Amino acid sequence: MHKSTCHTTGIPGLEAVTILSDRTFPRHTHDEFGFGPIVQGGQESWSGRGSVEASFGDVIAVNPGEVHDGVGYPGRPRLWHVVYLTPDLIARLTDFDVNRVEFKPVFGRSELNTVMTDAIRAVMSETPDVAEIEEALVHVIGLLRSEAGTPARRAQRHSYPVRQVLARIHDEASEPLSLASLAETAGLSRFQTLRLFKAEVGATPHAYLTQQRVKLAKALVSAGASLADAAVAAGFADQSHMTRAYGRQYGVSPGAYVRARAA
């Protein structure tokens, strides 16, 4: 089963979702920091620190650019709330330099869970109060600050061939990039490119390309483009193709995202 809700926050740089699902989400990345409590069930996930488990009472976290997934248990859906904060928003709310740190993927039961739950409650209010939400987020970030590790693993260097492929995907995400074309960019065979890229990035070139197209479509929609126009501009075959990829990656539909932003 799968149900999801995008919450209206009224704060630029802040998104919030609630998901009840037994789905497995493929490996992907976010441009934002994500934090949230699991309030029912649990999941396994792969992160920059390897495989981890999270269950009721834990707070899960993800860093910008960190490849991760979420393995659900069929018939046993987990329920979790997550807030996504851009580094710029965190910088505006605090003096915390998040560009030099990373957070571990799972925090056990602690004061953080209580404060995180309060922040989620403020975000999910029928009449969100911006001042209340910002105060709750400052409290959350203050607690997380003591748990931050350095240096950020996401800043680790990739090999030259992988850097070349990553750069091309980022620059030409909307173009029809084939594995053969990317292998030529890397200066390797297709098999060597596939194996090296997956080992260093955590996803195949095609999966990573799809992630970038979803992010591009999201940015276009945020800027006011229609879903159909955003799909084509981001390199998808059509709106349905984009919607499926978007839902697999974020757990919510692009339509729900648009409605939450417009509310």
Side-chain angles (χ1 to χ4, degrees):
M1 70 168 299
H2 183 85
K3 296 180 180 179
S4 61
T5 302
C6 285
H7 304 286
T8 303
T9 69
I11 300 176
L14 174 65
E15 298 175 11
V17 299
T18 294
I19 299 177
L20 173 65
S21 179
D22 61 1
R23 285 185 188 175
T24 289
F25 294 90
R27 291 185 180 182
H28 63 282
T29 63
H30 296 272
D31 292 332
E32 308 85 5
F33 287 94
F35 309 106
I38 291 184
V39 296
Q40 173 186 309
Q43 68 172 14
E44 298 177 10
S45 62
W46 187 90
S47 71
R49 301 193 180 194
S51 181
V52 296
E53 294 185 11
S55 58
F56 170 71
D58 292 335
V59 171
I60 55 177
V62 64
N63 301 287
E66 180 181 24
V67 178
H68 64 287
D69 60 16
V71 180
Y73 306 124
R76 291 185 290 159
R78 73 281 203 198
L79 173 65
W80 73 104
H81 309 291
V82 179
V83 292
Y84 294 102
L85 300 88
T86 62
D88 286 345
L89 175 59
I90 294 179
R92 182 172 67 80
L93 294 176
T94 72
D95 61 353
F96 187 18
D97 184 3
V98 294
N99 294 310
R100 299 179 61 83
V101 302
E102 76 166 8
F103 297 100
K104 61 184 181 181
V106 180
F107 296 85
R109 291 171 181 266
S110 66
E111 181 185 1
L112 174 61
N113 183 278
T114 300
V115 175
M116 189 78 245
T117 300
D118 290 341
I120 292 293
R121 186 179 298 111
V123 170
M124 293 174 57
S125 170
E126 292 185 4
T127 56
D129 184 312
V130 171
E132 180 185 8
I133 294 173
E134 290 187 343
E135 182 179 277
L137 292 176
V138 168
H139 198 173
V140 168
I141 295 166
L143 291 177
L144 286 168
R145 184 172 188 168
S146 64
E147 299 278 359
T150 57
R153 295 182 182 211
R154 61 184 180 280
Q156 67 185 13
R157 293 178 59 86
H158 294 296
S159 64
Y160 178 77
V162 169
R163 292 203 307 273
Q164 294 298 101
V165 173
L166 285 169
R168 187 166 181 204
I169 290 175
H170 289 164
D171 291 342
E172 304 176 30
S174 62
E175 301 299 320
L177 299 176
S178 66
L179 179 58
S181 176
L182 294 175
E184 183 177 349
T185 297
L188 301 172
S189 71
R190 282 176 285 188
F191 177 71
Q192 289 172 322
T193 300
L194 177 64
R195 183 172 60 178
L196 185 63
F197 191 94
K198 186 174 182 180
E200 293 190 15
V201 178
T204 66
H206 181 265
Y208 191 84
L209 173 60
T210 300
Q211 293 171 27
Q212 298 310 304
R213 287 176 173 169
V214 167
K215 290 181 180 180
L216 177 56
K218 182 179 180 181
L220 290 167
V221 169
S222 298
S226 69
L227 295 180
D229 288 346
V232 174
F236 290 102
D238 51 36
Q239 183 177 329
S240 296
H241 185 199
M242 178 193 72
T243 298
R244 290 193 298 273
Y246 195 104
R248 284 196 297 269
Q249 182 161 321
Y250 292 128
V252 299
S253 72
Y257 171 71
V258 171
R259 289 190 293 272
R261 285 181 60 87

